[in-house]
Amino acid sequence: MEGTQVGKDKGNGMKKIPWVLLMMVLGSMAVLGLDPELLAKVQSAPPGKGEEFGNPHSRNNTADHSKFKELQQEFKSGPEVTRACLTCHTEAARQIQKTIHWTWIVPDAKPGVKMGKGGNVVNNFCVSLYSNEPRCTSCHAGYGWKDKDFDFASQDKVDCLVCHEQSGTYRKFPAGAGHPADEPKKMGDQTFNPPEWSKVAQSVALPTRKNCGTCHFFGGGGEGVKHGDLDAGLMRPEKALDVHMDADGLNFTCTRCHTTSKHDIAGRPYKMSEITDRRSLLNDDQMDRITCYSCHSETPHKEGSKANDHTNRVACQTCHIPSFARKNSTKMFWDWSQAGLRDDTGKPVVRMKDGRAVYDGMKGSFVWERNVVPEYFWFNGKLQYTLLPDKIDPSGTVSINRVTGSPDDVNSRIYPFKVHRGRQPYDVRNNTLVAPHLFGKDDAAYWKTYDWGKAIRAGMDYAGVPYSGEYGFVDTSYLYQTTHMVAPKENALSCNECHVRGGRLEKIRGVYIPGRDSATGMNLLGWGGVFAASLGVIGHGTLRFVRRKK
């Protein structure tokens, strides 16, 4: 053993439906005051061919890539396809190479900080990319990122197909550093076959939910692991799961809201706030980032509705996403300290419950939950992170990321979050989180020898971060903003979910919530007024009754 473990483990609804972008296409009516007959007709129409996973503006396509002679050839690899794409889309690779989808580093991060999962950001599911690239980069939009020597400047390393192919047959091999299998290969109970490169290349179009979901619904080691509001249920969701992505209704693709400019996809990468711009598309139809306000405005409810008074304090998601993981369960707890159990043949033990692994000898024990009520925090759109070299306090739960915001911040709103909790290794002398070397065929890989000491030493050496040689396990938490799985308006929260003692917003401080909060003096004064008024009414009535008899 190269390291020594120290200590023991610690045990009302939206009034206006977001059709603004569709209105731009139809050009037939204003954003407000939708024609109810047309609305019902479009909502009831089944998705057309090629629109099963969202309508990617296919009715407006002006090119059929199967007719391009550049793509009518026998390809043998992904980079060959990319080179063919670049003969027409000459700037595409350079554009994507400037984005976080390529670098996995926040573009505007301070030099040397390495803010991003491609750098010093740690999590409490798969922990860290360092030394585990061949496995993690199966969800990278590129080919061949297997170690530090990956050439980020090479244009033919960009994988155009993972975001654009529509054949439904293109799959990267889970441990292939972003490459699909070059021959039939097995992993677990699945067989991965080489793509039919020409067929796949000729199928390309704008991305659908399936393109995005292939990675984002399965991040962190499996379906529903990371985000509670992103899972395979959103491939073809029903209205009850998401009113915007409802496959038989609005059928939004991800890019309908996550707008894209030069392959830079709008979102919220680590520290960039998306909630300070409260313009609607009526003010500016060339906005870079689509939010609830863009389509629904800051007064989305009926005129005079009390709910409109909440939008300067409460995020739309708080009322309109009453719970997440409403169809498929999501992982809520991951305990790495329990990993290592193997059977008589040396294979990791796996225990299943309700179709989910609740124990895996490679990864530890898990807790899965469905229909989870979010936790709520003041949030201004920015998060702070505990990075790999940062000092931690292991005496309590380590918050790997933290919301910024307060009731005094005009940009803050009360937002819903998934809080993923875990227990993971850390350096007990340096008081830092660690990056274990998990994947590989070498003896230092944890999944090869199940030796935490060797695995942590190898991972930290690779990361270039000091390691004392002594490790333990610490409780951690990691926050995910909840913004998908918007429920139908009839399923939005009712007033008494929050305006009551012990309600959803019980832990929210800095704001007076009627029904939850009370002030003794004001209560006495109020009830005194009621009592005095009652006496006055009774006295007045009695006096009139007496006089009437006279």
Side-chain angles (χ1 to χ4, degrees):
M1 295 284 287
E2 189 162 327
T4 303
Q5 179 176 355
V6 179
K8 297 182 179 179
D9 302 342
K10 299 178 182 179
N12 331 348
M14 293 187 178
K15 175 64 179 175
K16 304 170 186 69
I17 301 174
W19 281 64
V20 176
L21 297 176
L22 182 58
M23 294 306 101
M24 290 184 209
V25 177
L26 296 178
S28 59
M29 58 188 70
V31 175
L32 305 178
L34 293 172
D35 183 331
E37 291 185 7
L38 177 60
L39 180 60
K41 181 178 178 181
V42 177
Q43 283 186 313
S44 62
K49 183 180 179 181
E51 299 177 8
E52 293 84 355
F53 305 108
N55 172 23
H57 309 286
S58 57
R59 299 184 186 94
N60 299 319
N61 285 347
T62 58
D64 181 349
H65 284 76
S66 68
K67 297 178 180 179
F68 285 17
K69 62 181 181 181
E70 290 85 355
L71 300 180
Q72 294 173 352
Q73 56 178 296
E74 291 299 319
F75 299 104
K76 296 181 180 179
S77 70
E80 286 185 16
V81 175
T82 299
R83 286 193 287 269
C85 296
L86 293 176
T87 60
C88 293
H89 302 278
T90 57
E91 305 306 306
R94 290 190 182 92
Q95 290 173 354
I96 200 167
Q97 286 174 344
K98 295 177 182 178
T99 72
I100 195 171
H101 270 87
W102 179 253
T103 63
W104 287 3
I105 296 291
V106 178
D108 58 352
K110 294 180 181 179
V113 172
K114 297 182 180 179
M115 173 67 73
K117 63 184 177 184
N120 288 330
V121 165
V122 185
N123 57 59
N124 61 0
F125 35 97
C126 290
V127 188
S128 175
L129 172 75
Y130 285 137
S131 77
N132 302 305
E133 289 91 342
R135 183 66 182 89
C136 300
T137 58
S138 60
C139 264
H140 182 241
Y143 299 114
W145 186 358
K146 62 181 181 180
D147 54 32
K148 293 178 181 178
D149 296 327
F150 178 66
D151 186 359
F152 284 92
S154 178
Q155 294 188 50
D156 64 3
K157 294 289 196 298
V158 172
D159 183 355
C160 307
L161 298 174
V162 70
C163 295
H164 292 285
E165 77 89 22
Q166 303 303 320
S167 72
T169 64
Y170 182 78
R171 294 199 298 171
K172 290 171 176 276
F173 186 66
H179 286 287
D182 54 5
E183 61 182 8
K185 292 181 180 178
K186 290 206 69 173
M187 189 164 193
D189 58 357
Q190 294 189 63
T191 299
F192 292 79
N193 294 307
E196 296 180 62
W197 289 107
S198 297
K199 175 183 177 181
V200 171
Q202 293 172 25
S203 76
V204 296
L206 292 172
T208 66
R209 290 190 300 271
K210 187 174 182 180
N211 291 111
C212 303
T214 296
C215 285
H216 291 283
F217 298 167
F218 293 84
E223 190 261 347
V225 171
K226 290 173 62 175
H227 302 273
D229 61 338
L230 289 175
D231 60 40
L234 293 178
M235 290 288 192
R236 285 207 61 193
E238 63 278 5
K239 185 178 180 180
L241 185 59
D242 193 286
V243 294
H244 302 117
M245 290 185 270
D246 172 20
D248 294 324
L250 297 176
N251 205 21
F252 276 20
T253 57
C254 304
T255 54
R256 188 60 76 89
C257 296
H258 294 273
T259 52
T260 304
S261 175
K262 297 180 180 179
H263 285 91
D264 189 12
I265 303 172
R268 185 192 44 78
Y270 298 98
K271 288 191 173 183
M272 184 183 295
S273 173
E274 88 284 12
I275 61 178
T276 56
D277 189 347
R278 304 190 190 283
R279 294 173 296 166
S280 78
L281 287 166
L282 292 174
N283 304 127
D284 184 357
D285 64 2
Q286 299 296 315
M287 294 169 60
D288 292 334
R289 302 162 75 83
I290 303 298
T291 66
C292 302
Y293 300 109
S294 305
C295 297
H296 299 285
S297 81
E298 287 196 271
T299 53
H301 308 92
K302 289 181 180 180
E303 186 176 352
S305 171
K306 186 62 179 176
N308 284 331
D309 295 339
H310 289 64
T311 59
N312 67 334
R313 286 292 194 177
V314 181
C316 304
Q317 293 91 328
T318 296
C319 295
H320 292 278
I321 307 178
S323 62
F324 55 82
R326 294 201 296 273
K327 183 175 182 179
N328 300 339
S329 58
T330 186
K331 191 174 285 186
M332 297 297 293
F333 182 76
W334 184 329
D335 187 353
W336 277 100
S337 72
Q338 301 300 312
L341 186 60
R342 290 176 281 177
D343 61 21
D344 294 338
T345 66
K347 293 183 178 180
V349 172
V350 177
R351 301 188 184 114
M352 306 292 292
K353 182 180 179 181
D354 299 327
R356 297 288 202 184
V358 294
Y359 180 83
D360 187 329
M362 295 175 65
K363 301 177 179 181
S365 60
F366 317 116
V367 174
W368 297 83
E369 296 180 22
R370 284 184 67 245
N371 209 30
V372 183
V373 173
E375 297 185 37
Y376 301 93
F377 304 94
W378 287 106
F379 183 49
N380 63 14
K382 297 180 181 180
L383 292 166
Q384 294 181 334
Y385 284 78
T386 298
L387 303 181
L388 194 58
D390 294 345
K391 297 294 183 181
I392 63 169
D393 179 4
S395 65
T397 299
V398 175
S399 300
I400 297 181
N401 64 354
R402 300 163 298 283
V403 296
T404 60
S406 73
D408 300 322
D409 182 352
V410 295
N411 290 319
S412 291
R413 302 290 184 273
I414 299 169
Y415 266 87
F417 285 82
K418 169 186 173 178
V419 183
H420 181 267
R421 294 176 170 86
R423 189 171 294 127
Q424 64 196 89
Y426 80 106
D427 186 326
V428 300
R429 288 188 176 272
N430 291 327
N431 281 337
T432 60
L433 296 173
V434 296
H437 175 41
L438 300 171
F439 176 83
K441 296 182 179 180
D442 55 294
D443 287 342
Y446 182 73
W447 292 337
K448 176 69 180 297
T449 60
Y450 294 89
D451 186 329
W452 277 119
K454 285 184 178 181
I456 295 171
R457 170 65 70 188
M460 295 296 274
D461 286 347
Y462 185 95
V465 178
Y467 173 55
S468 70
E470 297 183 11
Y471 72 93
F473 289 87
V474 65
D475 292 331
T476 58
S477 65
Y478 199 99
L479 303 174
Y480 290 99
Q481 181 186 359
T482 299
T483 198
H484 307 92
M485 296 189 178
V486 178
K489 61 181 181 181
E490 56 269 19
N491 295 338
L493 295 185
S494 60
C495 302
N496 60 11
E497 294 273 1
C498 301
H499 292 277
V500 64
R501 290 185 180 180
R504 289 177 178 244
L505 303 185
E506 183 67 24
K507 295 181 180 180
I508 291 293
R509 304 269 72 92
V511 63
Y512 178 81
I513 301 178
R516 183 198 73 171
D517 302 326
S518 63
T520 303
M522 290 298 294
N523 285 344
L524 290 173
L525 185 62
W527 283 113
V530 171
F531 183 69
S534 299
L535 285 178
V537 170
I538 294 171
H540 178 73
T542 302
L543 185 61
R544 294 198 62 175
F545 180 77
V546 172
R547 286 189 170 184
R548 184 177 174 184
K549 281 194 169 186
K550 291 181 178 181

